[in-house]
Amino acid sequence: MRKTWIAFISVVTLSFIALIWVGTEVYQTQPPIPEKVVIKKSGEIIYTKEDIQTGQNVWESIGGMEVGSIWGHGSYVAPDWTADWIHKEAIYLLNHWSKTEFQVLYDSLNVERKAAIKARLINDIKTNTFNASTNTITISKERFAAIKSNVKHYTSIFSDGKEEYAIPKGALTDSVKLEQLNAFLFWTSWAASTNRPNKDYTYTSNWPHEPLIDNVITKDSVIWSGLSIVLLLLFIGILTFYYLRNHEKGDVITKPNTDPLTGMKLVRSQKAILKYFIVISLLIGLQVVLGIITVHYTVEGQAFFGIDLASFLPYSITRTWHTQLAVFWIAATWLSTGLFLAPMISGKEFKYQVFGINFLFVALLIIVLGSMLGEWLGVHQFLDLTTNFFFGHQGYEYMDLGRFWQLFLGIGLILWVFMVGRHIVYAIRKNDASKQLLTILLISVVAIGMFFFSGLMYGENSSLPVINYWRWWLVHLWVEGFFEVFATVVIAFIFSKMEIISARTAGRVSIASATIFLAGGIIGTLHHLYYSGTPVQAIALGATFSALEVVPLTLMGFEIKESWTLLKSKPWMQKYKWPIFFFIAVSFWNFIGAGVFGFLINPPIALYYIQGLNTTAVHAHTALFGVYGMLGMGFILICLRFYSNRIWESKKLKRAFWFLNIGLIAMVLFSLLPIGIIQAYTSITQGYSFARDAELLYSPVVQTLKWLRMIGDIIFSIGIYYFCWFTISETIYNYKRKKIN
């Protein structure tokens, strides 16, 4: 066991050293925000630093990443504003020079003249004119004319609305804010089209793919992609050998003939958890309804089957609430499971535990409803920019809620860590066979509380590369890292309590699993940051280590087989059939959603072309719901199973399970994946901006595929209905039984 702990500590320590080192490089080599952008020779000031930074705040206030994307991060309906700006600017300049010199449009020129004008464009766009001594960017007067043309175009979109982009009329009408928003969009395009000093690639490593300015994939991206695939194959072989050699070496244990947890005495704090399950079920239902509205906006743009919803609930709001509620209900499920299991861990009820549970419940309601209201007010421009940052819409996918709500949630997490942690510490002091298992559980609990605060490491005027760096600490490390360790240990603890695995073996396996996962997971955070204004080290380390995240997922077949064997091992195990079925589904979607579809967009050579396309949505749905959502549902069912004193009528759960899984498969295969493949082909062959253009997304083939998604959505929604129906009815039954007792 000592060697296992040494490996765990070494992996975590060295990984964070590497991650923090890249972070320091992000701060030092990020694209500069100049004090002034001026026209060459005349010195006329176009934009100031304040314009660009305030423009970023304006972009955040209208929904930020929920209205199109920047540098590939965000939603899928509107364009990627960076790629779109670059392409339109390039087309303007090419046509301007062509008409000036040859009196025809660029496309009408012969090959030689096209080459000459394109070379002029590349020189004008890609030459870095940032002067560090004066902190200014200088642009040509021709480029200024292109900028003015773009400003007119985007001002019209955000003020007059555009149905194809699901942007309603009057989304932004303040002329000063519109000018500042355009300043920010210009800066993001400048960073993505201008070479780094003394380098032959841009600040975003030549992303997006734009043939007109020779933005093509870099040698580093190709080399590290190849190496990541080689390492993936190597470590799959090593881990498979290790697994087959060691997985039978646990302590021999005779499985009991009856359920060891029958007649378990539930304390007041566990009974107080019941109300969480009702609220979680309602949040699941609301999230699905918002998802239906959101995806329908991709077809009609401003309406829902002819009903005008966009003026009140624009796409930016419905998508914000849809993704945010997913994080809320999944996190609430896992956190309530921790509170439910805490007395089982310690064997006692601690003072004020019920009060803490009730306080967290009220806080959860306030945070969910308050943040949703704040986001609605922010997007509708009822808040000034600073108030919006604290109480409205921060503009960043999966962490849209205002800073005040983040702080409130952080305080709640500290309380949760204390409430669960004191039970674990009490149990560890018993120094029995479960000590190692409980120690890694305590580490994961503390990490969940601690790493949430990484989302507070940037400020209102922090730059985009810095914000993205810390954002993925939260989204990746908090959710995909330490929450996953927590889930692994919780399942191991439950199985040890059911006496189907020894506590000692559960501890050893949990520590080893955490070590293997975090070996790729911590540094693998950087795979989200390949093309976000970050240095090339992000590509090298991100590609290498994120490939290792896929390695343990290749063994999910063994895990499914063992779970199935476990279910058949003793008759009393049938009592836990549906929780175990949901855990089996987690293993399946871990391999498909996180493994196959995750690696589909993981190597730099893949992400360069398909970042922010529907291939990303495939991974998001199959991993977020398929893995974390199914796991959360399994946790609810296992807690209710411990609590309930009656035999479950399984018809609702059977329908819920199969409708959810079949619906998710249909959603992906009939719609999301085919659209993603069409976009990927377009991005590779023509350029990234074409893959996000309304002409493609509203073409007859893609529109048909969007409508076909209804098949999967309807099946999936039926599954949600049955799950929520069962959960609420079972919870109410037990709540009434609690009142009687």
Side-chain angles (χ1 to χ4, degrees):
M1 188 66 79
R2 185 185 177 199
K3 291 181 180 179
T4 307
W5 276 114
I6 290 174
F8 174 80
I9 294 170
S10 299
V11 162
V12 172
T13 302
L14 294 174
S15 295
F16 274 110
I17 289 173
L19 187 60
I20 293 170
W21 171 66
V22 174
T24 61
E25 292 294 306
V26 169
Y27 275 86
Q28 293 172 8
T29 64
Q30 62 182 300
I33 300 178
E35 290 295 334
K36 294 178 293 185
V37 179
V38 301
I39 299 176
K40 188 177 181 181
K41 294 183 180 178
S42 72
E44 179 185 347
I45 297 175
I46 304 172
Y47 296 124
T48 65
K49 183 175 184 179
E50 183 180 359
D51 291 332
I52 296 169
Q53 290 182 326
T54 306
Q56 181 175 323
N57 299 147
V58 172
W59 168 74
E60 293 162 355
S61 75
I62 63 174
M65 290 181 179
E66 309 298 352
V67 188
S69 58
I70 295 289
W71 294 347
H73 294 273
S75 59
Y76 317 117
V77 177
D80 180 273
W81 305 112
T82 303
D84 198 56
W85 181 293
I86 291 172
H87 185 73
K88 283 181 167 53
E89 187 177 305
I91 290 293
Y92 181 95
L93 288 170
L94 290 172
N95 284 330
H96 170 75
W97 286 323
S98 179
K99 287 188 293 183
T100 299
E101 297 184 16
F102 305 107
Q103 292 74 53
V104 295
L105 294 177
Y106 175 75
D107 284 342
S108 300
L109 296 177
N110 60 35
V111 174
E112 291 81 4
R113 288 175 174 177
K114 275 187 175 181
I117 291 182
K118 181 181 176 181
R120 185 190 304 178
L121 171 71
I122 293 170
N123 181 67
D124 194 354
I125 295 289
K126 304 204 82 169
T127 299
N128 194 329
T129 59
F130 175 72
N131 187 321
S133 61
T134 60
N135 203 12
T136 60
I137 292 173
T138 303
I139 64 169
S140 64
K141 63 179 182 179
E142 292 88 356
R143 190 172 184 184
F144 177 52
I147 290 171
K148 288 195 295 184
S149 174
N150 277 3
V151 167
K152 182 179 179 181
H153 172 74
Y154 294 116
T155 297
S156 173
I157 287 175
F158 288 104
S159 60
D160 300 334
K162 183 156 183 170
E163 186 172 316
E164 293 87 349
Y165 296 170
I167 296 176
K169 180 179 176 62
L172 189 66
T173 57
D174 186 297
S175 60
V176 175
K177 287 184 176 180
L178 284 165
E179 187 67 23
Q180 292 165 332
L181 173 62
N182 278 290
F184 172 66
L185 297 182
F186 160 76
W187 178 81
T188 68
S189 71
W190 176 85
S193 58
T194 299
N195 285 342
R196 286 180 177 270
N198 304 315
K199 301 293 183 182
D200 61 353
Y201 54 83
T202 70
Y203 287 99
T204 57
S205 292
N206 280 1
W207 192 95
H209 178 221
E210 179 49 76
L212 290 178
I213 63 169
D214 277 3
N215 252 16
V216 294
I217 193 165
T218 62
K219 297 186 289 292
D220 291 298
S221 293
V222 174
I223 291 169
W224 290 109
S225 295
L227 182 59
S228 71
I229 295 171
V230 172
L231 289 175
L232 172 66
L233 297 174
L234 172 64
F235 280 95
I236 285 175
I238 293 173
L239 183 61
T240 303
F241 174 77
Y242 173 84
Y243 177 84
L244 295 174
R245 181 185 175 94
N246 294 283
H247 83 289
E248 297 289 354
K249 290 186 178 181
D251 296 339
V252 177
I253 186 170
T254 302
K255 296 180 178 64
N257 293 317
T258 59
D259 185 359
L261 299 178
T262 299
M264 178 179 62
K265 300 294 183 182
L266 295 172
V267 297
R268 288 179 61 241
S269 66
Q270 291 174 309
K271 295 177 180 180
I273 295 296
L274 283 175
K275 55 183 169 287
Y276 280 79
F277 299 151
I278 293 178
V279 170
I280 288 169
S281 298
L282 295 175
L283 293 179
I284 294 172
L286 180 58
Q287 189 225 343
V288 171
V289 170
L290 289 165
I292 292 170
I293 296 172
T294 301
V295 74
H296 194 78
Y297 277 152
T298 68
V299 178
E300 289 194 61
Q302 304 291 351
F304 182 73
F305 293 103
I307 302 171
D308 181 20
L309 286 182
S311 57
F312 180 72
L313 285 178
Y315 175 89
S316 58
I317 283 294
T318 61
R319 190 178 189 273
T320 295
W321 289 352
H322 175 65
T323 55
Q324 183 172 288
L325 284 175
V327 175
F328 274 145
W329 78 255
I330 291 171
T333 301
W334 295 19
L335 297 175
S336 60
T337 299
L339 291 168
F340 184 89
L341 295 178
M344 290 177 60
I345 294 170
S346 64
K348 66 172 293 185
E349 176 85 305
F350 277 88
K351 195 174 182 180
Y352 301 121
Q353 190 79 354
V354 173
F355 172 80
I357 288 171
N358 291 334
F359 175 84
L360 287 177
F361 179 76
V362 174
L364 172 66
L365 294 178
I366 293 173
I367 291 169
V368 171
L369 298 176
S371 63
M372 290 174 69
L373 175 61
E375 287 153 351
W376 188 90
L377 291 172
V379 167
H380 283 85
Q381 301 299 299
F382 288 114
L383 308 176
D384 64 60
L385 296 180
T386 297
T387 305
N388 176 73
F389 175 77
F390 282 98
F391 295 98
H393 201 304
Q394 280 200 58
Y396 297 98
E397 197 174 27
Y398 297 114
M399 45 187 294
D400 303 277
L401 70 169
R403 178 56 55 88
F404 171 80
W405 308 111
Q406 276 187 295
L407 289 166
F408 197 169
L409 184 54
I411 292 170
L413 280 171
I414 292 173
L415 178 58
W416 177 82
V417 170
F418 172 75
M419 292 169 62
V420 177
R422 62 179 177 172
H423 287 80
I424 301 174
V425 171
Y426 181 87
I428 289 174
R429 288 175 177 170
K430 295 178 182 178
N431 203 28
D432 57 18
S434 63
K435 181 178 180 180
Q436 307 299 329
L437 176 64
L438 295 175
T439 301
I440 190 67
L441 178 59
L442 180 63
I443 291 172
S444 68
V445 166
V446 172
I448 287 170
M450 181 173 65
F451 280 91
F452 176 80
F453 288 90
S454 61
L456 307 178
M457 295 297 289
Y458 64 87
E460 182 181 0
N461 292 314
S462 294
S463 67
L464 204 56
V466 168
I467 293 174
N468 271 329
Y469 174 74
W470 291 113
R471 182 170 77 93
W472 286 111
W473 269 61
L474 180 61
V475 178
H476 183 94
L477 275 179
W478 188 60
V479 177
E480 298 181 49
F482 293 104
F483 254 123
E484 187 145 339
V485 173
F486 170 79
T488 300
V489 181
V490 164
I491 293 174
F493 172 79
I494 291 171
F495 285 169
S496 69
K497 280 293 183 182
M498 294 165 69
E499 298 181 17
I500 54 182
I501 184 175
S502 72
R504 191 183 306 276
T505 299
R508 179 179 60 80
V509 171
S510 295
I511 299 167
S513 298
T515 304
I516 292 170
F517 178 76
L518 294 178
I522 295 175
I523 302 178
T525 304
L526 297 172
H527 82 263
H528 299 284
L529 301 172
Y530 294 152
Y531 307 114
S532 297
T534 47
V536 72
Q537 292 93 321
I539 296 177
L541 291 173
T544 303
F545 283 88
S546 62
L548 303 186
E549 291 183 79
V550 183
V551 171
L553 304 181
T554 60
L555 301 182
M556 286 300 158
F558 293 107
E559 189 168 322
I560 292 172
K561 178 180 180 298
E562 290 185 352
S563 297
W564 184 258
T565 302
L566 174 65
L567 188 62
K568 300 293 184 181
S569 62
K570 296 290 181 180
W572 62 267
M573 283 297 300
Q574 289 299 309
K575 177 181 177 182
Y576 299 98
K577 173 182 177 179
W578 290 110
I580 290 177
F581 261 47
F582 274 84
F583 294 153
I584 289 174
V586 170
S587 298
F588 171 79
W589 288 112
N590 227 340
F591 175 68
I592 298 297
V596 175
F597 293 137
F599 195 72
L600 173 67
I601 63 174
N602 191 68
I605 197 171
L607 197 66
Y608 178 80
Y609 294 105
I610 65 178
Q611 179 170 253
L613 307 184
N614 273 268
T615 44
T616 305
V618 169
H619 171 58
H621 284 79
T622 55
L624 184 59
F625 182 84
V627 179
Y628 300 115
M630 289 286 188
L631 185 57
M633 290 176 164
F635 279 154
I636 288 178
L637 294 178
I638 200 73
C639 291
L640 285 174
R641 184 65 277 174
F642 288 153
Y643 191 87
S644 182
N645 67 342
R646 64 176 178 176
I647 297 173
W648 282 354
E649 191 280 308
S650 63
K651 185 181 293 184
K652 294 188 191 75
L653 281 178
K654 181 179 181 180
R655 290 174 178 173
F657 178 83
W658 289 112
F659 276 116
L660 285 172
N661 284 282
I662 293 172
L664 190 55
I665 291 171
M667 189 189 306
V668 169
L669 294 184
F670 293 166
S671 182
L672 290 175
L673 186 58
I675 294 173
I677 292 172
I678 291 171
Q679 286 184 294
Y681 177 80
T682 304
S683 175
I684 294 168
T685 56
Q686 298 182 52
Y688 185 83
S689 63
F690 291 96
R692 294 285 300 274
D693 191 78
E695 184 176 346
L696 175 69
L697 293 179
Y698 284 86
S699 64
V701 172
V702 174
Q703 283 291 83
T704 300
L705 290 171
K706 289 177 183 177
W707 280 108
L708 284 176
R709 180 169 167 173
M710 285 184 65
I711 299 171
D713 286 355
I714 291 171
I715 296 171
F716 182 83
S717 298
I718 294 172
I720 290 291
Y721 166 75
Y722 276 111
F723 179 83
C724 294
W725 182 13
F726 173 85
T727 301
I728 291 174
S729 60
E730 184 66 18
T731 302
I732 290 174
Y733 164 78
N734 285 289
Y735 184 78
K736 290 179 178 178
R737 183 167 65 90
K738 183 191 76 168
K739 289 292 186 183
I740 294 172
N741 292 342

